[in-house]
Amino acid sequence: MVTLPFQGHINPMLRFAKRLVSKGLHVTLATTEVARQTFSNGQSTTMIDTNQNGVAQGPKIQLEFFSDDLDLDLDRNKHLDLMLQSLPLSGSKNLSNLITNLGSKGQTFSCIIHQIFVPWVADVAADRGIPCAMLCIQGSSLFSIYHRYNNEFETFPSFDNPNSALELPGLPLLEVKDLPTFILPSSPPHFKKLLSESIQSLEKVNWVLVNSFYELEADAVKSMALFKPVLPIGPLVPSPLIGKEEGVTDSLDMWNSDDSCLEWLDKKPPSSVVYLAFGSITVLAKKQIENIAMALRESKRPFLWVVKSLGKDGENKDGLPLEFLEETNGTGLVVSWCNQAKVLMHPALACFVSHCGWNSILEAVAAGVPVIAFPEWTDQPTNAKLVVDAFKTGVRMRTEEDRVVTKEEVVRCIFEVTEGPRAREIKERAAELKEAARKAVGDGGSSDRNVDYFISQFTEQPSQNTITSDK
Ligand code: UDP
């Protein structure tokens, strides 16, 4: 497996690796050097024992790192364009060397699975005659939009026609505010180039896997059957969220989580707490933080809020009003990072105010928690649209012209998903999808069958299963 070194990309790959290991495969997960220190204590290769019973069975997921030929101190979140420019050449060369080195130790590969945003890996696989699968970490709807953007470009918004809404098969009507920002006319060229290369590389890819499950995005999956069939194999979320034992290493965390919030949640009544978290990259504007803070004070509900820039000592570093922390002490808790899967599973949760990163959305689906969508960029606007109009498990906050959400709007949304006329319906729908997610990954479920089918394609393992993409 090959992926970019970001937490939101490595984690779904790691979880898929665990599923493959549970089916008897050995998985080598390769990413760039910058991720090495986050994974291990400076060892060159970390072997992860994924055995779930505490009985030594030997390691099955092997981590490997290759260079992107950039300075290790470079912040790749800030200079993503530099990394994306460098990787097709440096990554191809260094990944290829890695495969050769591992080969000299007797390790050969029967399949390479690469994450959608490292399309050059398909060339490395083709050069070596190794079958190749692409894993779209953003779900079937997003894959379908990217695919059509590349092949039916003229129907998408352009500088001449920036506000055209899109009617695509299998998807709700998409206005510009619902589209992934990478495809908008204003998007930086390196993102568009990456998307286009990802879709063009499909010619060299034998299978497309998506981090989703059939029942969640059935129409989008069916709509791709004639173009490039997709195999939903998710949701790739932490094991406890789908009723499986955690075992070792389900997630890589860039920051230490503050588990005291779980004890804090234990003391709150069932379905009472508003949880707010905006993923690993998004940083809210000061005015936005203030508006949310005022809304939380006014709504008088208990809340748990992840503010990443909050110092380790609790010192406020990013515009969270100090008097707010004092006034809401007891009612609310602000942490700099938490174990989101455990928080979402906690019975005290009422709803999740989310930036709508796909991992967060799948985790909310698997936990059966209603969502208040506050998307910012990339796939988040589309995920927000899906939450409201396709999954029907939440509401979306309306932004003002300056893209900031007012205090009143936050209060309105919290009311709508917790007590409003549709609150019950939203909660029931969330509970239905939670059940469906567990079934999909359980023995014989749609994703489980797709994983078996996929494995049977490049190994000798037989599969009685048909693919669950066009039923
Ligand atoms: N997350 C976490 N603790 C936090 C906030 C987020 O563990 O306090 C995890 C969350 O569970 C999810 C990931 O960070 O798996 C964020 O990924 P997502 O795709 O939602 O957003 P991104 O970080 O890529 O914007």
Side-chain angles (χ1 to χ4, degrees), residues 23 29 141 145 232 297 316 328 336 343 437 440 460:
K23 305 264 183 194
L29 175 59
S141 304
I145 294 173
R297 194 164 38 196
N316 168 33
T328 55
S336 50
V343 166
E460 302 294 304

Side-chain angles (χ1 to χ4, degrees), residues 7 253 275 279-281 306 337-338 340 355 357-360 363:
Q7 167 162 343
D253 257 311
Y275 170 58
S280 60
I281 300 167
V306 180
W337 194 250
C338 70
Q340 181 160 297
H355 72 311
W358 188 240
N359 289 303
S360 293
E363 288 161 13

